[in-house]
Amino acid sequence: VFPWDSRTRVAMWRSGWQSVKAWTLHARSRCPVQAAPREVTEARRGFFASKWQKRLGHLLEGRRRPPPPEIPDKEALSNNFELKPCKPILGSKRTGVLAYKIGCMSLWDEWGVKHMVTVCQLDRLHVVQTMTLQKNGYEAVQLGLGYRSIHRLSRPEIGTFIKAGVGPKHHKCEFRVSSDCLLPAGLELTVRHFVPGQWVFVSGWSKGRGYQGVMQRWGFQGGGSDKHGHKKNHRSAGSLGQRGIGRVWAHKKMAGHRGPDPRCVNAKVFRIESARNLIFLRGALPGYKGSVVKISDARGKTGLKNNHIRLPRLASRLEQELWPYPTFVPMPGIEYPVTVQEPPPQRDPFLYPEQPLYQPND
């Protein structure tokens, strides 16, 4: 044991851990017989110069941001699977995509109108399997999103990914498609699958809100003011039924647990960026940041808004080849823009019509 005196201990405490080596040599000079081995007494220097730099690094870890990426203006793509674009017919149904919800931000168009958008990323989205009528009895495309360690996957799942020639995926999902929209296994789907200005369906699970009342859960109006005779029932549910039957009917809207629930919303593609596979959708989407959402072509009433994009009678053959059906098929020798935004409206939204002070009949 080193003969540390009180002055030596105070000096070591004030100087810090870096001066242990000097005090060790000082102790050896005072009692060389009781000196400990070198590997025990000397302080090993790690990655950090001191423990304070290490603590400061942990504290400032949340503030670090990666440098902004350099996004090119154009890029040339190759068709490795030799896909051929097809013309949609009555009953054709393309596959949807899986994406991670990144967050919300604001973007402005050419007129200066501010749009609230939700950013989603198609992270390493590949076709894992193709379901056919002969083998499976139905037609669908199975997609895989993201990355997951192989130690958390079963052997059949690993074999499926090896057979498709893709890496281990975090999330898998099937989309029912028509026979003319089947895609080969191993094909990577990008944000060019959608066209800016197109309406889509986005489905996911809403956030969990816990136990909530009827006003937040079902949108009840609530009670009146104290000035009109309503006392202590401003947010109550009110009457639950009739007195005669003496029971509460099933599926009555009452207070209870709210979320997570499956939700499907309409959204419009505002911008796509193929360098980072980002798609910017106008509106709010269900789920937390980092949750998985499904994005597919709009159907029904909402699908009628895409008639200006779905051009069945195209003038030139080049336009037919550029239409993303069953998915985006690149053409050789063409450089495509990386960032594509929805075209602005032709009329200035801030050009309000002048209202006369007096009506013509006055």
Side-chain angles (χ1 to χ4, degrees):
V1 181
F2 296 115
W4 306 114
D5 52 359
S6 60
R7 295 183 179 180
T8 306
R9 291 176 181 176
V10 172
M12 286 183 61
W13 178 75
R14 290 180 177 178
S15 59
W17 185 249
Q18 290 296 324
S19 59
V20 172
K21 184 176 180 180
W23 291 110
T24 304
L25 297 177
H26 174 67
R28 285 181 179 177
S29 63
R30 295 184 61 179
C31 52
V33 178
Q34 300 179 357
R38 180 179 180 182
E39 59 272 13
V40 178
T41 56
E42 289 188 2
R44 292 184 179 181
R45 178 169 178 176
F47 176 77
F48 298 94
S50 65
K51 64 177 182 181
W52 308 111
Q53 290 189 7
K54 184 177 181 179
R55 294 177 182 177
L56 192 62
H58 287 309
L59 290 175
L60 300 181
E61 186 176 2
R63 301 184 184 180
R64 295 198 187 99
R65 292 291 184 272
E70 297 181 0
I71 301 175
D73 296 334
K74 296 183 179 180
E75 62 179 356
L77 305 174
S78 59
N79 187 5
N80 298 329
F81 289 84
E82 298 182 358
L83 281 178
K84 295 183 180 180
C86 63
K87 190 175 181 180
I89 60 176
L90 185 63
S92 295
K93 186 178 180 180
R94 298 197 311 164
T95 178
V97 299
L98 296 174
Y100 289 114
K101 179 181 175 181
I102 304 299
C104 298
M105 62 181 300
S106 297
L107 293 176
W108 285 261
D109 58 6
E110 286 80 351
W111 288 112
V113 180
K114 180 181 178 181
H115 299 278
M116 178 268 179
V117 297
T118 304
V119 187
C120 298
Q121 185 180 20
L122 280 63
D123 183 23
R124 289 166 280 191
L125 184 65
H126 291 85
V127 179
V128 178
Q129 285 184 4
T130 302
M131 312 298 177
T132 58
L133 288 174
Q134 294 79 8
K135 185 177 180 180
N136 307 98
Y138 65 100
E139 293 175 335
V141 172
Q142 188 183 65
L143 303 181
L145 175 71
Y147 171 79
R148 195 173 191 179
S149 176
I150 59 174
H151 303 288
R152 304 188 64 183
L153 298 175
S154 61
R155 289 189 176 183
E157 290 178 335
I158 296 176
T160 303
F161 296 140
I162 293 176
K163 185 178 179 180
V166 299
K169 300 300 178 182
H170 169 245
H171 191 80
K172 294 189 301 181
C173 183
E174 289 187 7
F175 291 90
R176 299 293 292 266
V177 298
S178 56
S179 58
D180 58 340
C181 295
L182 291 173
L183 300 174
L187 177 67
E188 182 179 4
L189 295 179
T190 62
V191 292
R192 297 184 185 274
H193 186 74
F194 298 104
V195 181
Q198 173 187 356
W199 285 88
V200 294
F201 283 168
V202 182
S203 58
W205 289 81
S206 62
K207 296 180 180 180
R209 302 294 185 180
Y211 196 92
Q212 297 294 336
V214 292
M215 293 185 64
Q216 184 171 352
R217 190 183 184 194
W218 301 108
F220 280 17
Q221 185 178 2
S225 174
D226 289 336
K227 299 180 180 179
H228 297 280
H230 298 270
K231 302 295 183 182
K232 299 182 180 179
N233 60 350
H234 306 292
R235 301 183 65 88
S236 62
S239 176
L240 300 182
Q242 298 80 17
R243 180 183 296 180
I245 57 176
R247 59 173 295 185
V248 179
W249 295 102
H251 311 293
K252 170 64 179 175
K253 294 182 179 180
M254 301 174 66
H257 195 279
R258 180 188 177 198
D261 299 319
R263 291 289 181 264
C264 182
V265 299
N266 299 333
K268 192 175 184 180
V269 181
F270 182 77
R271 178 190 294 180
I272 60 173
E273 183 187 308
S274 60
R276 294 176 289 180
N277 265 342
L278 298 179
I279 180 171
F280 301 82
L281 302 173
R282 285 175 54 183
L285 305 185
Y288 295 95
K289 294 179 182 178
S291 60
V292 180
V293 295
K294 301 178 185 178
I295 308 175
S296 57
D297 295 334
R299 300 181 295 274
K301 283 186 176 181
T302 312
L304 297 177
K305 301 179 182 180
N306 295 333
N307 287 336
H308 67 286
I309 300 176
R310 190 183 300 118
L311 302 175
R313 298 178 182 178
L314 298 173
S316 62
R317 181 182 177 184
L318 180 60
E319 293 179 354
Q320 291 185 5
E321 295 172 347
L322 292 178
W323 170 244
Y325 217 92
T327 185
F328 176 75
V329 180
M331 299 298 297
I334 298 180
E335 291 187 351
Y336 297 92
V338 174
T339 304
V340 185
Q341 187 168 309
E342 174 190 2
Q346 297 181 358
R347 185 176 177 274
D348 187 0
F350 298 103
L351 187 60
Y352 301 105
E354 296 183 1
Q355 300 292 340
L357 296 177
Y358 302 96
Q359 299 298 326
N361 298 330
D362 291 347

